[in-house]
């Protein structure tokens, strides 16, 4: 259920001109890969900006990946739908602001 909710919300942010290159994962362990819009070139600055803004709003995410351009999500398996939705609202807003 966590995977379905996250993929539905964040998957909608991908596209040819988006900073989100891919949303991937299985179950609750998910990742958002940031790229330069219109390319597959890693965008580590965007990932750090999104993570920093999320942290300032109380949502903890981890920047990782070979190029430092991936934000990893690992919500607890017992997270309520409401809390997950609140966290995704913050993440989604931060991604849109970084765009």
């Amino acid at each position: 259920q966590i995977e379905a909710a996250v993929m539905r919300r964040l998957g909608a942010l991908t596209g040819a001109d988006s900073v989100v290159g891919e949303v991937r994962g299985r179950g609750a362990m998910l990742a958002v890969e940031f790229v330069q819009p219109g390319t597959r070139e890693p965008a580590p600055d965007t990932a750090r900006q999104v993570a920093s803004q999320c942290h300032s709003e109380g949502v903890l995410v981890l920047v990782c990946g070979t190029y430092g351009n991936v934000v990893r999500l690992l919500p607890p398996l017992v997270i309520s739908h409401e809390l997950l939705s609140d966290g995704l609202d913050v993440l989604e807003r931060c991604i849109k602001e970084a765009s």
Side-chain angles (χ1 to χ4, degrees), residues 7-63:
M7 291 296 202
R8 183 175 49 253
R9 295 270 306 266
L10 300 182
L13 299 177
T14 62
D17 294 330
S18 176
V19 296
V20 178
E22 181 181 27
V23 179
R24 60 179 177 263
R26 182 174 297 283
M29 186 177 280
L30 300 158
V32 181
E33 181 176 0
F34 292 94
V35 296
Q36 299 296 332
T39 72
R40 298 297 298 159
E41 184 179 330
D45 292 339
T46 304
R48 284 191 299 273
Q49 178 185 349
V50 168
S52 177
Q53 184 63 32
C54 283
H55 289 165
S56 72
E57 296 190 34
V59 175
L60 301 178
V61 296
L62 175 69
V63 175

Side-chain angles (χ1 to χ4, degrees), residues 61-92:
V61 296
L62 175 69
V63 175
C64 61
T66 302
Y67 305 104
N69 67 316
V70 177
V71 168
R72 193 177 83 189
L73 312 175
L74 187 55
L77 296 176
V78 296
I79 192 169
S80 68
H81 177 71
E82 294 80 20
L83 188 56
L84 179 62
S85 182
D86 289 347
L88 290 174
D89 288 344
V90 170
L91 180 57
E92 204 171 7

